[in-house]
């Protein structure tokens, strides 16, 4: 059995050094996805003409295309149409791609959460002369968030794991560092196992929280 346990242990400090980059990409993408997803859900819920139909197509697209393809489109494809985007950083492309893809999924989570709120709540807001925005902000949205928390938390975990695709466009993260280390020593199992264990630990911690 050709497995170097000591080497694997020695890799942890080198690879975990890039954990902040992973958390930065995943967390910022998650925040943007929540904001965009919530806006999409509100528009879908009120069925704004024309915009509603356009959003149905966009949501279907972002839900149906693999994450890696979307990252490539944001990083390599869009600058071809808009040269001004040629200076976009790889990390930014990953964040935009993850945000848009998961916003499409979260919009459905929030939309179903809106439907789970009793219609009487909306009527009660109107009965005390609240505007739609006041009722939405003070009465409806707090209930929507409470209902959506479990599913939303799962998407955060998935987004953290999806950041591992960032190395494909040159972002030096944990997986990229593991790839470099294994390329020198040819000890691929040890290097990738370290990355897997770190991601596993993150998932366990976030699931508990």
């Amino acid at each position: 059995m050709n497995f170097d346990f000591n080497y694997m242990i020695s890799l942890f400090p080198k690879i975990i050094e890039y954990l902040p980059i992973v958390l930065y990409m995943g967390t910022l993408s998650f925040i943007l996805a929540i904001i965009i997803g919530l806006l999409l859900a509100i528009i879908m819920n009120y069925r704004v003409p024309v915009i509603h139909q356009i959003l149905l197509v966009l949501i279907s697209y972002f839900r149906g295309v693999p994450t890696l393809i979307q990252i490539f489109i944001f990083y390599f494809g869009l600058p071809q149409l808009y040269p001004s985007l040629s200076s976009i950083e790889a990390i930014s492309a990953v964040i935009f791609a993850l945000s848009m893809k998961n916003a499409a999924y979260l919009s459905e989570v929030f939309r179903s959460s809106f439907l789970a709120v009793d219609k009487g709540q909306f009527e009660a807001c109107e009965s005390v002369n609240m505007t739609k925005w006041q009722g939405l902000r003070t009465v409806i949205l707090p209930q929507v968030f409470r209902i959506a928390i479990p599913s939303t938390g799962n998407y955060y975990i998935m987004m953290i794991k999806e950041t591992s695709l960032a190395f494909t466009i040159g972002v030096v993260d944990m997986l990229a560092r593991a790839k470099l280390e294994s390329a020198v020593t040819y000890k691929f199992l040890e290097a990738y196992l370290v990355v897997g264990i770190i991601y596993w630990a993150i998932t366990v911690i976030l699931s508990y929280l």
Side-chain angles (χ1 to χ4, degrees), residues 46 119-136 138-140:
Y46 286 104
K119 289 184 178 180
Q121 299 288 319
F122 295 90
E123 295 170 358
C125 293
E126 293 178 356
S127 69
V128 292
N129 294 322
M130 279 188 176
T131 63
K132 283 187 177 181
W133 168 242
Q134 287 174 328
L136 193 66
T138 60
V139 179
I140 307 302

Side-chain angles (χ1 to χ4, degrees), residues 118-193:
D118 193 291
K119 289 184 178 180
Q121 299 288 319
F122 295 90
E123 295 170 358
C125 293
E126 293 178 356
S127 69
V128 292
N129 294 322
M130 279 188 176
T131 63
K132 283 187 177 181
W133 168 242
Q134 287 174 328
L136 193 66
R137 179 173 56 84
T138 60
V139 179
I140 307 302
L141 283 181
Q143 296 180 68
V144 168
F145 284 129
R146 185 179 62 186
I147 296 169
I149 281 175
S151 298
T152 304
N154 288 333
Y155 279 105
Y156 180 45
I157 292 171
M158 287 193 291
M159 291 173 75
I160 291 291
K161 291 187 289 185
E162 283 185 326
T163 60
S164 61
L165 297 172
F167 90 99
T168 60
I169 58 172
V171 177
V172 182
D173 63 348
M174 293 193 300
L175 186 56
R177 181 58 191 266
K179 186 176 177 65
L180 291 172
E181 292 289 339
S182 60
V184 174
T185 61
Y186 292 99
K187 295 180 180 180
F188 299 98
L189 178 58
E190 291 89 339
Y192 293 134
L193 193 56

Side-chain angles (χ1 to χ4, degrees), residues 50-148:
V50 181
I51 298 178
H52 174 75
Q53 285 74 19
I54 293 174
L55 289 182
L56 283 176
V57 175
L58 289 176
I59 289 172
S60 176
Y61 168 79
F62 283 109
R63 292 181 64 176
V65 177
T67 306
L68 185 58
I69 301 299
Q70 295 186 33
I71 291 174
F72 283 173
I73 289 174
F74 272 95
Y75 190 61
F76 298 112
L78 289 184
Q80 182 178 329
L81 294 177
Y82 304 99
S84 60
L85 295 177
S86 58
S87 60
I88 186 173
E89 296 182 355
I91 289 180
S92 300
V94 173
I95 291 172
F96 290 145
L98 292 182
S99 299
M100 295 305 299
K101 180 213 168 178
N102 288 279
Y105 282 98
L106 287 173
S107 67
E108 292 299 307
V109 172
F110 290 132
R111 191 173 69 85
S112 62
S113 299
F114 270 110
L115 295 176
V117 176
D118 193 291
K119 289 184 178 180
Q121 299 288 319
F122 295 90
E123 295 170 358
C125 293
E126 293 178 356
S127 69
V128 292
N129 294 322
M130 279 188 176
T131 63
K132 283 187 177 181
W133 168 242
Q134 287 174 328
L136 193 66
R137 179 173 56 84
T138 60
V139 179
I140 307 302
L141 283 181
Q143 296 180 68
V144 168
F145 284 129
R146 185 179 62 186
I147 296 169

